[in-house]
Amino acid sequence: MIRFFLLALLSATPLSAAEWAVKPGDVPLTSEELNSLAGRTLTFFDDGQSKYSAGGAYSYTYASGESAYGTYSIAEDGSVCVAYRNGFSRCDLYVRSGDRLILIDQKGDRYPVRPEAQ
């Protein structure tokens, strides 16, 4: 049990800025932009939605309608770390690439966010 807990903690450790798989032209969000996530819902192209609530509550709703709940925090390196209620944790980096907002996970996978309706 302790071993699982330690592995979960290690998997949620933010990477240093140099370790994120950014591409030329990627610009990480500023502190102000990260703080403005509170109260927003970001929709991805697979219809999944990340909801960042004021006070640090977080939920991810899958296209199927099922949701996972937890809390989020902003790490020193600018990544957004989520601790889910089920014990799973992860950190992601949001960047702007041209006009597009993209989430980069710790494996380097990129998930573009749908533009918000005006």
Side-chain angles (χ1 to χ4, degrees), residues 37-53:
L37 288 174
R40 291 182 60 195
T41 300
L42 303 178
T43 303
F44 297 88
F45 282 91
D46 66 356
D47 291 327
Q49 294 185 323
S50 286
K51 182 175 184 177
Y52 298 92
S53 299

Side-chain angles (χ1 to χ4, degrees), residues 14-86:
L15 298 172
S16 72
E19 294 180 274
W20 287 100
V22 295
K23 293 183 177 181
D26 285 348
V27 179
L29 296 188
T30 64
S31 294
E32 185 177 310
E33 289 172 312
L34 289 168
N35 289 328
S36 74
L37 288 174
R40 291 182 60 195
T41 300
L42 303 178
T43 303
F44 297 88
F45 282 91
D46 66 356
D47 291 327
Q49 294 185 323
S50 286
K51 182 175 184 177
Y52 298 92
S53 299
Y58 174 84
S59 66
Y60 183 83
T61 302
Y62 297 88
S64 67
E66 293 182 50
S67 295
Y69 300 95
T71 58
Y72 77 96
S73 61
I74 299 168
E76 284 185 34
D77 72 345
S79 60
V80 178
C81 297
V82 176
Y84 291 94
R85 290 182 189 167
N86 66 5

